[in-house]
Amino acid sequence: MKIFKFSKDNENKNIIFKAESKKDIKNIATSRNYGILTKLGESKDDKLSQNLKFYAKEFFGNYFNAIKMPIIISSFRELAVMVGGGISLHEAIKHLLKSTKDKKMHTILSHASEELNQGKMLSASLQTFRQELGDISLAMIKLGENTGDMKNSLEKLVHILSNIYTNKQKFKKALRYPLFIITFIIIAFLIIITVVVPKFKEVFESLGADLPLPTRLLLGAENFISRYGFYAFVAIVLLMILTRFKYKNDKEVKLSIDNFLLKIYLIKNIIFNSEMARFMLILTELIKAGIPVSNAIDTAVDTLTNESLRKKLSTVSALIGQGVSLSQSFNNTKLIEPMLISMIDAGEQSGSLDNMLGNVSEYYERKFDDILDNLSAYIEPILLLFLGLIITILALGIFMPMWDLSQAVRG
């Protein structure tokens, strides 16, 4: 691990991060607005400390550096208005740079302005901020550059991002009730296990008889929680952190998890319909703009977040390159329903492919909205079953031995 000293605004600062070469160091320094590299040397920290710092930065970096979606949407909307009003893209970015208050967005716009000064395209200058802005933003900006209609592309980008943000908010809102119920059940169970069950423990043990299975389960749970509860909690948290880190940095792990998510009840439908709606919407806009179908598919695939769907849909472009029709290529993925394949085929035959793809996108969007609107209804039976099971175990575990005792006294 190296330590790098940078100078900016007459202030020196030491920064530690991972890089393969001096070229990578300069690229990272430029993208993160560190300033000019003035010194390169070895860090004095021990290896464990270095690794902890690096992995903490990698894991938590997104939380501290992430830009809120409304800020991105607002920035692109202002940019679209200024470009539509006849202001050059470079001047529009300069105006936006003066008005933005978000530090990360200010860094991005500052970097873009400097790159444009050097004659680079906006999409190329924003590549270093792909993680912050997202693939969709870069794809639509590149579309505007290719078609020469940046205003229209930015407006469509704002529309797409607004839909994504709205869907995320609807999803969070729909989850509030189920999460509240689950949290309440878990807290109530833990209180009963740690407070109520120990009071009955001595009474149960004094019976001197074989305890029923529900009671043994409760006593076993109480014993485990009292002895290993804290360690189990820490282990779960560490496992979640490790899983998240591997998910972000290991493609094989990401593919495995994404495959698993597409098999879970309800979650698979939410992920599939939201991803396909976004994919079809972007594909429609690209084809409308005159982008070749194969290139449009490659760009639309890059915007997918689920690695399993990305892998399957990436085969479509290769098949089209071999002369296979779009409808047949989609059919080979086994992802799209026969009815929708027929619609796409009809669009190819009639020359109205973009309109048909737009209808397919709306179909997936409606299915996604329907799931969100009725999420509580879908989850409620599972919650009731889970709650009923917990209550039954608690009731039987506590009252069955007492009932046996009362029977013995009467006898």
Side-chain angles (χ1 to χ4, degrees), residues 26 44 49 54 74 102 115 160 193 219-220 249 312 367:
K26 291 179 180 178
K44 294 181 181 179
S49 175
F54 170 68
S74 175
D102 184 83
E115 294 279 279
I160 293 170
I193 287 294
L219 293 177
N249 297 279
K312 290 179 181 178
K367 289 190 71 174

Side-chain angles (χ1 to χ4, degrees), residues 29-79:
T30 302
S31 67
R32 299 182 184 178
N33 203 28
Y34 288 152
I36 302 171
L37 177 64
T38 58
K39 185 179 179 181
L40 170 62
E42 293 287 343
S43 172
K44 294 181 181 179
D45 291 326
D46 60 273
K47 190 173 181 180
L48 176 61
S49 175
Q50 294 169 11
N51 288 333
L52 287 175
K53 287 180 181 179
F54 170 68
Y55 290 124
K57 187 177 182 64
E58 284 290 303
F59 183 78
F60 295 107
N62 285 342
Y63 294 104
F64 297 120
N65 296 322
I67 309 174
K68 293 181 180 178
M69 183 65 81
I71 293 174
I72 297 176
I73 294 172
S74 175
S75 297
F76 284 132
R77 183 180 286 118
E78 289 182 46
L79 206 57

Side-chain angles (χ1 to χ4, degrees), residues 4-14 34 36 38:
F4 312 102
K5 182 171 286 187
F6 296 92
S7 175
K8 183 183 179 186
D9 300 329
N10 296 321
E11 292 183 4
N12 291 328
K13 53 183 177 180
N14 294 332
Y34 288 152
I36 302 171
T38 58

Side-chain angles (χ1 to χ4, degrees), residues 167-184 265-267 270-271 368 371-380 383:
N167 287 338
K168 283 184 178 179
Q169 294 304 108
K170 288 171 66 177
F171 183 62
K172 289 179 181 179
K173 185 177 180 181
L175 281 180
R176 283 176 192 166
Y177 170 72
L179 287 177
F180 173 78
I181 297 297
I182 292 172
T183 303
F184 175 79
Y265 167 75
L266 200 59
I267 292 177
I270 293 173
I271 293 174
F368 178 70
I371 294 173
L372 291 188
D373 292 339
N374 299 284
L375 189 61
S376 295
Y378 290 127
I379 296 178
E380 206 166 66
L383 290 178

Side-chain angles (χ1 to χ4, degrees), residues 284-323:
T284 301
E285 297 298 341
L286 293 174
I287 291 176
K288 278 183 180 179
I291 305 297
V293 175
S294 181
N295 295 340
I297 289 172
D298 287 337
T299 303
V301 166
D302 286 339
T303 65
L304 295 172
T305 57
N306 185 278
E307 194 66 30
S308 179
L309 293 178
R310 182 195 286 257
K311 188 175 181 180
K312 290 179 181 178
L313 288 170
S314 63
T315 62
V316 174
S317 178
L319 289 173
I320 290 175
Q322 298 171 13

Side-chain angles (χ1 to χ4, degrees), residues 262-280:
L262 289 176
K263 296 176 183 178
I264 301 177
Y265 167 75
L266 200 59
I267 292 177
K268 62 182 179 181
N269 295 328
I270 293 173
I271 293 174
F272 179 78
N273 289 306
S274 63
E275 290 276 82
M276 291 302 294
R278 182 191 310 173
F279 172 80
M280 289 296 179

Side-chain angles (χ1 to χ4, degrees), residues 109-219:
L109 293 173
S110 178
H111 175 73
S113 180
E114 291 173 7
E115 294 279 279
L116 289 173
N117 264 334
Q118 298 173 15
K120 293 186 179 180
M121 304 292 282
L122 179 60
S123 59
S125 69
L126 295 179
Q127 281 293 331
T128 50
F129 300 100
R130 174 182 290 271
Q131 191 172 3
E132 289 85 352
L133 298 177
D135 291 306
I136 298 174
S137 300
L138 298 181
M140 295 307 292
I141 289 172
K142 192 171 184 179
L143 172 63
E145 292 170 344
N146 292 337
T147 59
D149 191 356
M150 183 61 75
K151 172 183 176 294
N152 190 38
S153 291
L154 287 172
E155 287 177 345
K156 288 175 180 176
L157 173 59
V158 169
H159 173 68
I160 293 170
L161 294 180
S162 297
N163 278 349
I164 293 172
Y165 179 70
T166 301
N167 287 338
K168 283 184 178 179
Q169 294 304 108
K170 288 171 66 177
F171 183 62
K172 289 179 181 179
K173 185 177 180 181
L175 281 180
R176 283 176 192 166
Y177 170 72
L179 287 177
F180 173 78
I181 297 297
I182 292 172
T183 303
F184 175 79
I185 292 173
I186 292 173
I187 292 174
F189 179 77
L190 289 175
I191 290 175
I192 291 174
I193 287 294
T194 56
V195 178
V196 178
V197 172
K199 295 184 181 298
F200 287 91
K201 191 174 182 178
E202 294 182 5
V203 176
F204 294 156
E205 290 175 349
S206 66
L207 293 176
D210 291 335
L211 295 173
L213 178 61
T215 306
R216 294 201 302 271
L217 288 175
L218 285 183
L219 293 177

